[in-house]
Amino acid sequence: GERDDLSALRATPYLFRTVTNVTAREFEEFCQKVCPVISSVARSTCLPRGLMGRPSKLAPEQRLLSFVVYLKQYNSVTFESALWNWSRTSANDDALFVASCVKVAAADEIR
């Protein structure tokens, strides 16, 4: 299974800030805006998710964390895919998908 880096980072606030460049509280606020969009849209079609279909391997919070860490650390897709035990194609596709969800969810944000 995948590692739950989100729980490990939440347990150490200083490390969370160092790794993500945001505080745990800021990340929670970000999750509240973006995760509902990630949950409600299908990655393959970018349409509202139906009742059927295969769920994502990672929880929306983990997917958002992966995206934030990727942006902050300038990691390669190979590193990200190994970190979450995903294929490089899945990690790349998911990063683009999460970026589009961030764009939709934060369209009215000034921060």
Side-chain angles (χ1 to χ4, degrees):
E2 75 278 351
R3 292 178 9 202
D4 190 3
D5 288 337
L6 186 56
S7 332
L9 286 174
R10 281 183 175 149
T12 52
Y14 175 76
L15 182 60
F16 193 95
R17 172 87 174 161
T18 303
V19 170
T20 64
N21 213 30
V22 296
T23 65
R25 183 180 175 98
E26 291 169 336
F27 183 74
E28 288 302 320
E29 290 175 13
F30 198 40
C31 281
Q32 289 175 358
K33 288 198 171 286
V34 179
C35 289
V37 177
I38 293 172
S39 297
S40 66
V41 177
R43 183 179 89 183
S44 57
T45 62
C46 290
L47 297 173
R49 181 179 297 282
L51 296 175
M52 303 298 286
R54 190 169 147 200
S56 176
K57 181 177 181 179
L58 300 178
E61 295 84 6
Q62 291 173 318
R63 295 168 77 183
L64 186 58
L65 176 66
S66 175
F67 177 71
V68 169
V69 170
Y70 175 79
L71 291 178
K72 182 354 178 129
Q73 303 291 337
Y74 306 111
N75 294 332
S76 70
V77 173
T78 303
F79 176 79
E80 279 298 304
S81 62
L83 179 68
W84 295 101
N85 193 22
W86 249 1
S87 71
R88 286 179 295 184
T89 303
S90 291
N92 189 44
D93 288 349
D94 201 62
L96 293 174
F97 171 72
V98 172
S100 70
C101 291
V102 169
K103 180 181 173 187
V104 168
D108 297 335
E109 284 294 314
I110 296 174
R111 284 193 229 174

